[in-house]
Amino acid sequence: MEKKVGFVGLGQMGKGMALNVLKAGFDLTVFDIREEAMNGLASQGAKRARSPANLAHQVDWIILSLPDANVVEQVVFGEDGLVQDHEGELILVDCGTTDYQETLRFSRSLQKYGIRFIDAPVTGMDARARDGTLTIMCGGKEEDVHQIRPLLEAVGNRIVYMGSVGSGQLTKLVNQLLYNANVATLAEVLPMAVKLGLDPEKIAEVINTGSGRSLASEFFLPGILENRFNRAYSLKNAYKDMISAAAISAENQIPLPMVHAATTTYQMALALGLGDEDKGAMIKVFERVLNVLFRRKPDGD
Amino acid sequence: MEKKVGFVGLGQMGKGMALNVLKAGFDLTVFDIREEAMNGLASQGAKRARSPANLAHQVDWIILSLPDANVVEQVVFGEDGLVQDHEGELILVDCGTTDYQETLRFSRSLQKYGIRFIDAPVTGMDARARDGTLTIMCGGKEEDVHQIRPLLEAVGNRIVYMGSVGSGQLTKLVNQLLYNANVATLAEVLPMAVKLGLDPEKIAEVINTGSGRSLASEFFLPGILENRFNRAYSLKNAYKDMISAAAISAENQIPLPMVHAATTTYQMALALGLGDEDKGAMIKVFERVLNVLFRRKPDGD
């Protein structure tokens, strides 16, 4: 019997993913709080649900693509939430980037409702969501992941099973923490170099061909030099990973000195009002303190 | 008139570099405190000097390839040092990795002796020193660097002029600080991942194909998994870069929170007696604290 699929959250990532679910031939029902987001999918053949509860009633498998743990909580456990009106077998797959410890809590609660839960955060920007070429890191029972694999293969081309529930979010978090810390180190070291007289373009070239190289340096150095801080998701959004790490560190007594130092830099950047710019904008914290510019020109402000 | 070249320090790096100077056709005189190190070069046609002072008396250009600032100070300014017996024009090129602030001090002192100074630290291991394919980052007067360029081209294939004296060391330091900090972040984040149940091999693969990727992760993750910590220069040697950064930060009031956090991790590793292992061994600090292993097997000890 063909499985019926539900999809909640048709934002930048979710929209492309839901379209690929449809293209793969699944019977798809969608829900989003914005009517217009559902229209696009409906015109391609998806059904609309009136609420998460109404959606859960109609389908076997549900994908969530939501901004954070608070929204997941509301959609799943809130008024008209998924758990309010489901019957029979249901597998819930969270493809958003959701806090690790909240994920463990959600999973425990869902067990009481007989709902099987898989955390399956993705990497890749919206272009890869459209192309169906996302990397998906899964945590949950291995047989559940095996069962929904055809659905995951509709949205991604690299499905990695990481272990028990939460392992997908934890894997993504580890990757993000390294990335975020590497950017924070650039943010302080580059202004030092300029303060002591080095040329930004030359130092950027040496780093990206030398041992200091990272995906962080390769991605952010060109943007920083060009004074462009809108090339990736915002500092405000990236900060949620630092909060997750701080909670894990505190609750599990896991020392993370580098991550904590990076968190301080994130907080300084947010306090200076840089939250809507991308992570490269952390360099402005140290540029301002040292009164130098690594960039070719100052901000307009 | 063909320039006569002197070379001091025929260690792992210096030996290969000096041989390439000889191959390029320069009249070469060498000095090393170890007689046997000079024998190898002498058998290829190099002359031997009796002391740095004796060497300085005979040549126009001198390359230093020495372990640290203390040895440079002794070779240059000590008893029988280079400055004790030189006459006429002399250009001194420091190809070692020497502390930035000491480099500025040496340069000022050398001016009094009429000696022109270039800092020109190299990147690349001993294999590239033998092949003459080092990258050389130069600081000093542009006309001096231009003049000795034929000599630099004998030992390296990428000569980058970075600016006034000290700029070469500063550039190398910036690169090393990023590299060292990126390793320090791995050292704490990987044991966290294992403590919370992730599989080391899987997480290593995700990192090296994901946004957490860096030259540090690409180089050290395979060694860490294999329990091999002798694949690069020692933690003890790497630590001198952290000392240089601490001195720059203190004297110039330059905030470096990530670098300081990384320094703490280096210090913990050194205090635990890991100084002779490579930087990847920093992971042992956090493995021991959390009582987990990221590696496939524990140390023999």
Side-chain angles (χ1 to χ4, degrees):
Chain A
M1 191 192 69
E2 188 64 52
K3 294 293 180 183
K4 292 185 178 175
V5 175
F7 204 109
V8 184
L10 304 167
Q12 214 173 1
M13 297 295 287
K15 187 183 162 188
M17 293 164 73
L19 276 170
N20 284 322
V21 171
L22 210 50
K23 278 186 204 156
F26 287 97
D27 179 313
L28 180 69
T29 306
V30 298
F31 179 75
D32 193 287
I33 45 168
R34 295 165 305 128
E35 271 295 326
E36 69 275 20
M38 287 197 277
N39 292 342
L41 270 296
S43 71
Q44 305 290 314
K47 284 168 271 186
R48 302 153 187 265
R50 290 188 309 277
S51 68
N54 173 247
L55 177 76
H57 186 64
Q58 304 175 49
V59 300
D60 306 294
W61 298 342
I62 297 175
I63 292 182
L64 305 181
S65 178
L66 299 167
D68 61 37
N70 288 334
V71 182
V72 172
E73 173 136 46
Q74 197 184 326
V75 163
V76 177
F77 301 102
E79 192 185 344
D80 278 333
L82 293 171
V83 300
Q84 305 304 340
D85 190 16
H86 93 96
E87 50 189 45
E89 293 227 326
L90 183 62
I91 300 183
L92 181 58
V93 186
D94 182 6
C95 284
T97 299
T98 303
D99 178 79
Y100 169 68
Q101 305 205 109
E102 294 289 331
T103 292
L104 298 182
R105 196 167 64 75
F106 294 153
S107 173
R108 282 193 298 271
S109 298
L110 285 164
Q111 276 178 9
K112 295 176 207 151
Y113 292 93
I115 297 174
R116 287 135 77 193
F117 182 70
I118 293 168
D119 58 301
V122 303
T123 60
M125 313 288 270
D126 46 338
R128 282 171 63 191
R130 278 195 300 275
D131 297 345
T133 57
L134 295 166
T135 293
I136 310 181
M137 294 156 285
C138 304
K141 289 218 176 86
E142 198 157 9
E143 70 254 33
D144 293 348
V145 174
H146 180 74
Q147 201 181 331
I148 60 145
R149 204 172 171 96
L151 176 57
L152 296 177
E153 283 173 349
V155 298
N157 65 353
R158 191 157 169 261
I159 321 295
V160 194
Y161 178 69
M162 294 304 301
S164 61
V165 76
S167 299
Q169 296 296 352
L170 186 58
T171 302
K172 179 157 188 191
L173 180 65
V174 164
N175 214 21
Q176 290 299 120
L177 291 179
L178 292 168
Y179 190 42
N180 295 352
N182 294 353
V183 183
T185 307
L186 285 162
E188 70 187 41
V189 168
L190 301 178
M192 174 193 78
V194 176
K195 184 76 180 184
L196 299 176
L198 290 187
D199 175 71
E201 313 246 353
K202 283 184 181 172
I203 195 82
E205 196 203 326
V206 169
I207 290 169
N208 275 337
T209 56
S211 50
R213 179 170 57 78
S214 61
L215 189 81
S217 71
E218 286 165 357
F219 182 81
F220 285 106
L221 279 174
I224 292 171
L225 284 169
E226 293 294 343
N227 209 37
R228 288 184 53 212
F229 298 96
N230 59 354
R231 298 165 65 243
Y233 58 95
S234 68
L235 264 169
K236 214 164 49 189
N237 284 338
Y239 183 58
K240 73 180 176 183
D241 293 323
M242 310 316 281
I243 297 174
S244 291
I248 289 173
S249 173
E251 287 195 26
N252 300 280
Q253 303 172 3
I254 293 177
L256 296 173
M258 296 296 288
V259 171
H260 292 316
T263 302
T264 300
T265 297
Y266 272 76
Q267 288 164 341
M268 289 194 287
L270 293 172
L272 286 171
L274 304 169
D276 291 324
E277 305 191 21
D278 70 30
K279 289 189 275 214
M282 281 192 286
I283 196 170
K284 295 181 184 181
V285 173
F286 295 95
E287 284 181 333
R288 288 183 194 185
V289 168
L290 297 181
N291 196 26
V292 295
L293 275 188
F294 187 82
R295 295 166 281 148
R296 292 205 185 92
K297 54 183 181 187
D299 284 343
D301 57 19
Chain B
M1 191 190 70
E2 189 63 50
K3 295 293 180 181
K4 292 186 175 174
V5 174
F7 203 109
V8 184
L10 303 167
Q12 213 173 5
M13 297 295 288
K15 187 182 164 190
M17 293 164 72
L19 275 171
N20 284 322
V21 171
L22 210 50
K23 278 186 204 156
F26 286 99
D27 180 311
L28 180 69
T29 307
V30 297
F31 179 76
D32 192 286
I33 44 168
R34 296 166 305 128
E35 271 294 327
E36 69 276 19
M38 285 196 280
N39 293 342
L41 269 295
S43 71
Q44 304 291 315
K47 285 167 271 186
R48 301 154 187 265
R50 290 188 309 275
S51 68
N54 174 248
L55 177 77
H57 186 65
Q58 304 175 49
V59 301
D60 306 295
W61 298 342
I62 297 175
I63 293 183
L64 305 181
S65 178
L66 299 167
D68 61 37
N70 289 333
V71 183
V72 172
E73 172 136 45
Q74 197 183 326
V75 164
V76 177
F77 301 103
E79 193 184 342
D80 278 331
L82 293 172
V83 300
Q84 305 304 339
D85 192 16
H86 93 96
E87 50 189 43
E89 293 228 326
L90 182 61
I91 301 183
L92 180 59
V93 186
D94 181 7
C95 284
T97 298
T98 304
D99 178 80
Y100 170 69
Q101 305 203 110
E102 293 290 332
T103 293
L104 298 182
R105 196 167 64 76
F106 293 153
S107 172
R108 282 192 300 269
S109 298
L110 285 164
Q111 276 178 9
K112 295 176 208 151
Y113 292 93
I115 296 174
R116 285 134 79 193
F117 182 70
I118 293 168
D119 57 303
V122 303
T123 61
M125 314 287 271
D126 46 338
R128 281 172 63 192
R130 279 194 301 276
D131 298 344
T133 58
L134 294 166
T135 293
I136 310 180
M137 293 156 285
C138 305
K141 288 217 176 87
E142 197 156 9
E143 70 253 33
D144 293 348
V145 174
H146 180 74
Q147 200 181 333
I148 60 145
R149 203 172 172 97
L151 176 58
L152 296 177
E153 283 172 352
V155 297
N157 65 352
R158 190 158 168 264
I159 321 295
V160 193
Y161 178 69
M162 294 305 300
S164 61
V165 75
S167 300
Q169 296 296 351
L170 185 58
T171 301
K172 180 158 189 192
L173 180 65
V174 163
N175 214 21
Q176 291 298 121
L177 292 179
L178 291 168
Y179 190 42
N180 296 352
N182 294 352
V183 183
T185 307
L186 285 162
E188 70 186 40
V189 168
L190 302 177
M192 173 193 79
V194 177
K195 184 77 180 181
L196 299 176
L198 290 186
D199 175 71
E201 313 246 354
K202 283 185 181 172
I203 195 82
E205 196 203 326
V206 169
I207 289 168
N208 275 337
T209 56
S211 50
R213 180 170 56 78
S214 60
L215 190 83
S217 70
E218 287 165 357
F219 183 81
F220 285 106
L221 279 173
I224 293 171
L225 283 169
E226 294 293 343
N227 208 37
R228 289 184 53 213
F229 298 97
N230 59 354
R231 299 164 65 243
Y233 58 94
S234 68
L235 263 169
K236 215 164 50 189
N237 284 339
Y239 183 58
K240 74 179 177 184
D241 292 323
M242 309 317 279
I243 298 174
S244 290
I248 289 173
S249 173
E251 288 196 28
N252 300 279
Q253 302 172 2
I254 292 177
L256 296 173
M258 296 296 288
V259 171
H260 292 316
T263 302
T264 300
T265 297
Y266 272 76
Q267 289 164 342
M268 291 193 287
L270 294 171
L272 287 172
L274 303 169
D276 291 324
E277 304 192 21
D278 70 29
K279 289 188 276 212
M282 280 192 286
I283 196 170
K284 296 181 184 182
V285 173
F286 295 95
E287 284 181 333
R288 290 183 192 183
V289 169
L290 297 181
N291 195 26
V292 293
L293 276 188
F294 187 82
R295 295 167 280 146
R296 291 204 188 91
K297 54 183 182 186
D299 283 345
D301 58 14

